[in-house]
Amino acid sequence: MRSLLSLSSSWLLVLGLACGPNSNGQGDEGLGPIESLDTSEAGITAFVREGRYRDWVAEPKVHATRAPHQARVRVFFNDTAVTSLRAGNAVHPVGTILVKELFAEDGVTKKGHAVEVKVAEGPGKDTWLFYEGFTPDYTRNYYGRGHDTCHGCHAAGTDYVTTPLP
Ligand code: HEC
């Protein structure tokens, strides 16, 4: 019984670790720039903090999320994402980028950003680089190709994209 208990608590520990932000700001999958985005963790952090996606096609307004954790969201689509979603592609091309702004309940206070970047052609979780960072300092982020925290829910989308083009 005792060993069973300690076994289950170590599993809880493993699960807990797998669910938390696990990168220190310095991650780099070594993929270089994609569509002029520096795909290192620091590169994506700078990109979202500077709002370099703000002139992309976007959902018309901030709305309640269907996912847990953050309260309200707004999704932005780069040109490659727009073209691919419009064409109804089952698999999106390299260079498809989506940014989700995360807000508190008031819909104004920014809580962070989630990003998906298509980094390889074809299907599968490893063709996507996932990133999520949080205000104020974006030092404890989710970052990684086929990230374990992210791909599960997103598998329900079309090639991991769940938000329809507005
Ligand atoms: C519990 C399920 C769930 C998990 C886990 C999850 N997401 Fe999402 N994600 C969603 C849903 C639902 C949406 C649609 C927008 C909304 O309702 O927030 C979404 C939308 C997005 C979008 C906008 C593009 C799209 O596909 O709709 C990005 C970018 C994104 N998530 C990134 C991430 C990253 C990065 C992670 C891992 C750190 C992650 N998500 C983990 C459920 C999830």
Side-chain angles (χ1 to χ4, degrees):
M1 186 61 195
R2 195 180 151 73
S3 63
L4 194 68
L5 272 177
S6 63
L7 189 70
S8 55
S9 57
S10 54
W11 265 110
L12 282 177
L13 186 66
V14 169
L15 284 173
L17 287 174
C19 291
N22 62 351
S23 200
N24 59 2
Q26 304 304 315
D28 191 354
E29 291 280 4
L31 297 158
I34 291 181
E35 298 257 320
S36 80
L37 169 64
D38 168 356
T39 57
S40 70
E41 187 178 346
I44 298 179
T45 298
F47 170 80
V48 293
R49 294 186 90 173
E50 289 160 20
R52 278 188 260 142
Y53 59 86
R54 294 292 313 217
D55 60 350
W56 293 0
V57 169
E59 292 184 301
K61 51 186 193 302
V62 175
H63 60 88
T65 181
R66 288 179 281 115
H69 305 313
Q70 307 301 328
R72 300 181 72 77
V73 299
R74 186 180 183 198
V75 178
F76 292 74
F77 308 75
N78 77 342
D79 285 346
T80 308
V82 170
T83 306
S84 187
L85 287 164
R86 201 166 275 156
N89 290 338
V91 174
H92 302 297
V94 169
T96 299
I97 307 176
L98 302 117
V99 174
K100 179 164 87 164
E101 291 183 334
L102 311 171
F103 297 92
E105 203 66 60
D106 64 10
V108 178
T109 309
K110 201 163 278 178
K111 302 289 281 185
H113 292 85
V115 182
E116 298 179 78
V117 185
K118 183 81 173 182
V119 297
E121 301 293 353
K125 68 181 171 65
D126 292 334
T127 65
W128 288 97
L129 178 64
F130 293 94
Y131 169 97
E132 191 165 355
F134 306 96
T135 57
D137 48 14
Y138 294 75
T139 48
R140 292 186 70 241
N141 307 317
Y142 299 91
Y143 173 84
R145 203 168 165 165
H147 199 292
D148 281 344
T149 304
C150 313
H151 70 82
C153 288
H154 280 264
T158 300
D159 191 14
Y160 296 87
V161 177
T162 65
T163 302
L165 200 60

